[in-house]
Amino acid sequence: MAQTRTEKIVIDGLKARQTKERNFKFFGIFAVALAIAFLAILLISICSKGLPGFFQYYATFEVELTRERIDPRGDMSDQSLFEGEAKKIINEAVLEFTGAKKRNERKAARSLLSNGSDLRLVNFVQKNTDKLNSIQKIKFALDDDADSFFRGYIKKETPEKQRRLNDIEINYLEKMNEAGIITYEISDYLFFGSASRNAEMAGIKGAFIGSMLTLAVCFLIAFPLGVATAVYLEEFAPKNKFTELIEININNLAAVPSVVFGILGLAIFINLFGMPRSIPLIGGLVLALMTLPTIIISSRAAIKAVPPSIRDGALAIGASKMQATMHHVVPLAIPGMLTGTIIGMAQALGETAPLLMIGMVAFIVDIPGSITDPGTVLPVQIFMWADFAERMFVHKTSAAIMILLLFLMIMNGGAVWLRRKLERRW
């Protein structure tokens, strides 16, 4: 039977809609696949450069731990160990192994180990006082250039004038490798070292502790203020132009660039109140200001998600407005509040710009012991390492990024788990 004109129009229109729907679905799948591909490329790039940063080369030497030379005062104090001959003892072990005699040979042999080898020896002695007056095998990190040679970045075939290691140094490294004293191991400096100009000694411990102290200050300030503000605006504040203005400003602050909060912290906390730069307390205050809008908005959304019947039921049995809010509404909204807070804290963990403005980019070797001690944070440490030219800093920068991403994933995963754990069904 021949189709009528109306049926033909309907069928053609249906086919056109189905075609558009298929095209839209295809473009959606393509967009998701493209985003996953870019994410995979990013992660592969970071991991390929970062995984070598978790390892480094060490050389093991037999060192004679003569107490009179290492601890001249005999009291194992820091001053006595500083006055000792730890560096000289290590150099003697290296020279004895290499057999260096001439001045240029001795200089080449001494340059193969890290400048911080004496500190490593002192730490070993402090932890193993019973090993004094004996010969012990101790591992020392190789210098950045020597490490780069074993990684293949410095090649012996390259003309001597065009590489950072001369022929004598390379010959000594090959001799060490043939003797089996060179090992490739997990870098203890990366996890337990602090800021250093020497790439082989640089680590994230100081920056990590600084990040934790800064986030602790941020959480203790932002969470109670954010939740209290959300509860007041959603449950108690009258609906007038003043509260509407507050709500507009909160939403606007959530979109303000983070560097603006850094400028605000610099102007108020440092210039106006005269507080010291580069301490976790100031960093936490600045990050608290930055995360407050996020916590307020997410907390208000969590409160709105509580069914009105919960409030009505509490009020119907004689509860006051405060009792209905604090005993019924807020407990049900807590999972959403905590989720928003953790996401805001994860955002704060990765911030760099506001902390640069308050001086947390300073080169600080000591590990902060409190919120008032000078310190830095992990994103700023990554920023500083990325500016250094040494090859090992490239790997350690990517390794630190991997560690930062891991903590961000843990925090976001914790937010999802906490929400499911505390969420109630009604």
Side-chain angles (χ1 to χ4, degrees):
M1 181 182 295
Q3 291 181 343
T4 63
R5 181 179 178 84
T6 303
E7 290 174 341
K8 187 176 185 305
I9 293 174
V10 172
I11 293 173
D12 291 343
L14 181 60
K15 290 181 179 179
R17 289 196 299 271
Q18 290 175 344
T19 302
K20 291 180 179 179
E21 184 177 350
R22 285 195 299 269
N23 292 339
F24 182 79
K25 185 177 180 180
F26 169 77
F27 285 121
I29 295 174
F30 176 76
V32 173
L34 188 64
I36 293 175
F38 280 124
L39 179 61
I41 292 172
L42 175 64
L43 292 178
I44 291 173
S45 175
I46 293 175
C47 292
S48 62
K49 294 180 180 179
L51 288 176
F54 290 94
F55 302 85
Q56 67 185 96
Y57 284 91
Y58 293 86
T60 304
F61 289 98
E62 291 185 348
V63 181
E64 185 176 359
L65 304 179
T66 307
R67 176 154 196 160
E68 291 74 15
R69 299 182 65 188
I70 295 177
D71 181 26
R73 296 190 181 185
D75 56 4
M76 292 299 294
S77 63
D78 292 340
Q79 184 63 31
S80 178
L81 295 172
F82 176 77
E83 295 174 354
E85 300 179 352
K87 189 73 171 180
K88 188 175 180 180
I89 291 174
I90 296 171
N91 288 335
E92 289 174 356
V94 176
L95 295 175
E96 181 181 355
F97 176 85
T98 58
K101 300 296 183 182
K102 298 180 181 179
R103 182 177 180 182
N104 60 334
E105 293 176 346
R106 295 167 65 88
K107 180 180 179 181
R110 288 194 296 264
S111 67
L112 297 179
L113 296 185
S114 169
N115 289 332
S117 297
D118 55 334
L119 297 177
R120 193 176 184 89
L121 178 59
V122 167
N123 290 334
F124 177 84
V125 171
Q126 287 178 324
K127 296 177 182 178
N128 304 275
T129 55
D130 58 317
K131 301 293 178 63
L132 287 170
N133 295 321
S134 66
I135 298 176
Q136 299 292 326
K137 290 184 177 181
I138 303 177
K139 294 177 181 178
F140 301 101
L142 292 183
D143 181 72
D144 174 49
D145 292 333
D147 188 277
S148 297
F149 171 74
F150 286 111
R151 294 178 188 269
Y153 297 117
I154 298 178
K155 300 183 181 298
K156 189 176 182 179
E157 296 77 16
T158 305
E160 185 176 14
K161 293 183 179 180
Q162 298 179 13
R163 46 180 156 84
R164 295 173 63 90
L165 293 175
N166 57 40
D167 291 337
I168 299 175
E169 292 169 328
I170 290 179
N171 290 334
Y172 287 155
L173 289 174
E174 290 178 340
K175 182 178 180 180
M176 293 178 188
N177 194 31
E178 291 173 358
I181 67 171
I182 300 295
T183 55
Y184 186 58
E185 304 178 13
I186 294 178
S187 173
D188 53 0
Y189 282 107
L190 177 66
F191 296 101
F192 302 108
S194 192
S196 175
R197 298 292 183 186
N198 299 315
E200 68 278 359
M201 295 176 57
I204 65 168
K205 182 178 180 180
F208 177 76
I209 293 177
S211 292
M212 295 300 103
L213 292 173
T214 302
L215 285 180
V217 174
C218 176
F219 176 80
L220 293 176
I221 295 175
F223 180 68
L225 284 179
V227 170
T229 303
V231 170
Y232 173 75
L233 290 176
E234 201 61 35
E235 296 293 328
F236 299 100
K239 304 302 179 182
N240 51 36
K241 292 184 178 180
F242 178 71
T243 55
E244 289 180 2
L245 180 63
I246 294 176
E247 293 175 3
I248 292 173
N249 285 325
I250 291 173
N251 293 328
N252 289 337
L253 284 174
V256 170
S258 59
V259 69
V260 175
F261 292 98
I263 297 173
L264 179 65
L266 176 65
I268 296 179
F269 300 126
I270 295 178
N271 293 340
L272 183 61
F273 294 139
M275 301 179 73
R277 289 173 174 262
S278 192
I279 61 174
L281 176 60
I282 303 298
L285 289 171
V286 171
L287 293 180
L289 293 176
M290 188 191 72
T291 56
L292 259 178
T294 302
I295 296 175
I296 293 172
I297 293 171
S298 62
S299 298
R300 293 189 66 186
I303 293 173
K304 287 180 181 179
V306 178
S309 57
I310 302 294
R311 301 176 180 82
D312 297 338
L315 296 173
I317 60 175
S320 64
K321 179 70 172 177
M322 177 66 73
Q323 290 174 328
T325 300
M326 302 308 296
H327 294 175
H328 299 277
V329 176
V330 172
L332 293 175
I334 278 292
M337 293 177 177
L338 289 176
T339 300
T341 301
I342 293 175
I343 292 175
M345 298 292 290
Q347 176 191 1
L349 178 62
E351 283 295 337
T352 304
L355 301 179
L356 294 178
M357 298 301 300
I358 61 171
M360 294 196 80
V361 71
F363 182 81
I364 298 171
V365 178
D366 296 332
I367 296 173
S370 67
I371 60 175
T372 56
D373 292 337
T376 186
V377 292
L378 200 52
V380 175
Q381 185 73 74
I382 293 171
F383 171 80
M384 294 173 63
W385 283 355
D387 195 41
F388 295 149
E390 288 81 355
R391 173 64 64 175
M392 190 178 287
F393 273 123
V394 176
H395 294 304
K396 287 199 172 184
T397 299
S398 298
I401 291 174
M402 291 176 62
I403 295 173
L404 181 61
L405 288 176
L406 177 62
F407 277 100
L408 291 175
M409 293 171 63
I410 291 174
M411 292 181 71
N412 283 278
V416 174
W417 177 83
L418 197 62
R419 185 180 183 89
R420 291 182 178 179
K421 185 74 173 178
L422 299 178
E423 193 172 26
R424 300 182 186 179
R425 301 291 181 182
W426 49 72

